[in-house]
Amino acid sequence: MTQATTAIEAPKKRSLKLRTIGFVALGFCALGYAGFVASVFAIKAEMIAMTAGLAIAGVFAIVGEAGLWIGAASLGLSFYARRRDRVARFFGRVKSAFSSKS
C-alpha cells in the first residue's frame, strides 16, 4: 500500500510594511491632535496671538486628520486579508486584487 504525501504550506505572514506605516501614521495622528489641543489652550491662556494660534492649530489638525485616515486605511488593509479574499470570492472574483498569492 502506498501513501501519497503532500507538503503543507506555511501560512504567509501579513505585510509588516503596511502595519508599520499604519502605526506610524496613528502616531502622527496623536501628535497632531495633541498639538491642536495645546495650541487651543495656548490661545485661551493668551500665550500666543489668536491669528498665529489658529494657523498653528490648523496645521496640527490637518496632520492629525491625515494620520488618522492613513493609519486606518493601512491597518485595515493589513489586518483583514482573509475578509478581503472572502468578499472577492463572494463577488465572483477568483483572486482578490489585494491578495499576496500568485
Side-chain angles (χ1 to χ4, degrees):
M1 183 174 233
T2 61
Q3 290 182 330
T5 59
T6 58
I8 299 173
E9 291 183 26
K12 294 193 177 197
K13 290 190 129 187
R14 294 183 181 146
S15 176
L16 187 62
K17 188 176 183 181
L18 272 177
R19 277 189 187 174
T20 305
I21 291 170
F23 286 124
V24 167
L26 287 180
F28 275 103
C29 172
L31 180 71
Y33 285 137
F36 172 77
V37 170
S39 61
V40 168
F41 281 134
I43 292 170
K44 288 292 185 183
E46 297 179 359
M47 296 174 69
I48 55 177
M50 177 74 79
T51 55
L54 288 177
I56 293 169
V59 169
F60 276 119
I62 290 171
V63 168
E65 196 68 23
L68 176 70
W69 282 97
I70 292 169
S74 59
L75 288 176
L77 284 175
S78 68
F79 288 154
Y80 299 110
R82 278 188 246 141
R83 188 172 295 168
R84 282 190 316 240
D85 292 337
R86 197 175 311 138
V87 168
R89 277 183 270 139
F90 176 76
F91 285 114
R93 289 179 245 137
V94 177
K95 290 184 181 177
S96 170
F98 301 104
S99 180
S100 61
K101 299 173 188 171
S102 50

